Amino acid sequence: MNYILFDDARRNNLLPFTFLRPVADIRFGILTIREKWEKHLNTKTSTLTEKYLRAKYPVVKAQHNFLINGSICPNTRLIEEIHKLEPNQTLMKDDCLIAMHLTEHELERTSAKETQSVEEIYTDAPFCEIVNTYDIFLKNGRAIEEDFAILTSGRKSVRIPAGVHSITPQNIFIEEGAKVHSSYLNASAGPIYIGKDAEIMEGAMIRGPLALCEGAIVKMGSKIYGPTTIGPQSKIGGEVNQSVIFGYSSKAHDGFLGHSVLAEWCNIGADTNTSNLKNNYEPVRLWNYPEQSFVDTGLTFCGLLMGDHSKCGINTMFNTGTVVGVSANIYGTNFQRNFISSFARGGTGGFTTYDVNKAIKVAEFVYKRRNFEFTDIDRDIFYHVFNITFEYRKL
């Protein structure tokens, strides 16, 4: 069987997090959506995504292909129903296309946008999905619990060290190589997963659900409320509440981050604070790329949604429901505007365009610090995103 995770129109709703990646590579819970499918299927997947991303995320074709919506998370029943599909059948729930079974010839026709008749099979199987950017933090508790179950099944945790105060320790799982110093771990409201080589420093206070992924660090005296995900190699300090950090990002100092999502390679300056609740308690309006305007989310709590490689200076203040694009450089006093474009540089005093070549040099440097290579393919993607976000910098 060959499995391909595809992007549909939801991809645009999930910008800025899908400027540099397919939907399936969003971290949600402990794992990315792709990693969830590969755990359940016990095999690798490929991707059908935007043309400019295909050099980095190529599609692999075979005689028989199961194409699966990359915004949907797997479960046993859903996989069983997908495997029942015959060639040229699709699995649907309401108006959502979950999966399709295509031969290589049919896949070629679909890629060429040739119309063909398909049989629609409908299901009532439950599943978790992300449709909007805020779903990433809103549904993260369920995602952590599902990932925790599959990652720890039949395995034994490293023993909780002496000096660590734990509540509901049976819901705490520590991987080999992790360091947990004198701290408070409360897993009564949800599991706490501490990944390989991760570290929780002295005095940290944590309430689950929490996913602390491989090599991530929680600094001394931090206060973290779940459901929160701290992705690989990230550094977190201060106060964090119900947020998702994809990976390789730093919020290493004091300051509050709540009901927020940070993509990869972000850096939050010391004493930066994010408002996640309006003073009048009205629902939060959030920038939506397909609508080209702010839309009502119906949410009371929503903080900062920041795209990859974006950074802010010390003492930055983000207003409730702020969206920041890719590789923005933000600084200055007072509350920042609620939508900041990709490759924008500045703050409340005004913005200029952040030179794309300078942005690439910074990306190359931070990649090298973590032993990653910033390739020519990555460079081409940066240039493409810089060009397609030009109009937003005029707003």
Side-chain angles (χ1 to χ4, degrees), residues 10-21 23 26 52 131-133 287-290 292 305 307 323-326 388-389 392:
R10 293 178 176 186
R11 174 190 180 274
N12 296 324
N13 253 5
L14 293 166
L15 294 170
F17 303 122
T18 50
F19 273 129
L20 300 186
R21 65 174 58 77
V23 174
I26 289 175
Y52 75 92
V131 180
N132 299 293
T133 50
W287 177 262
N288 179 274
Y289 281 87
Q292 299 287 290
L305 306 174
V323 175
V324 177
V326 170
I388 64 175
T389 56
Y392 300 117

Side-chain angles (χ1 to χ4, degrees), residues 91-110:
L91 186 66
M92 306 284 297
K93 186 171 185 179
D94 300 324
D95 61 350
C96 174
L97 173 57
I98 300 169
M100 61 185 92
H101 182 178
L102 297 178
T103 65
E104 186 171 7
H105 174 68
E106 291 163 343
L107 178 56
E108 294 288 352
R109 291 180 60 194
T110 300

Side-chain angles (χ1 to χ4, degrees), residues 36-105:
K36 299 176 199 295
W37 281 104
E38 291 181 349
K39 282 282 184 184
H40 277 268
L41 297 169
N42 195 31
T43 189
K44 291 293 183 181
T45 63
S46 66
T47 308
L48 187 59
T49 185
E50 296 294 302
K51 186 176 180 180
Y52 75 92
L53 291 171
R54 290 179 189 172
K56 186 169 184 176
Y57 302 95
V59 64
V60 176
K61 302 173 185 178
Q63 184 177 354
H64 286 273
N65 306 278
F66 286 100
L67 280 75
I68 302 169
N69 193 320
S71 67
I72 292 172
C73 298
N75 59 56
T76 301
R77 180 179 167 189
L78 195 59
I79 290 172
E80 288 174 353
E81 298 207 19
I82 289 171
H83 283 157
K84 291 178 183 176
L85 292 174
E86 298 293 335
N88 234 27
Q89 287 184 334
T90 64
L91 186 66
M92 306 284 297
K93 186 171 185 179
D94 300 324
D95 61 350
C96 174
L97 173 57
I98 300 169
M100 61 185 92
H101 182 178
L102 297 178
T103 65
E104 186 171 7
H105 174 68

Side-chain angles (χ1 to χ4, degrees), residues 345-357:
R345 185 177 187 275
T348 52
F351 284 90
T352 59
T353 296
Y354 186 22
D355 182 86
V356 64
N357 292 308

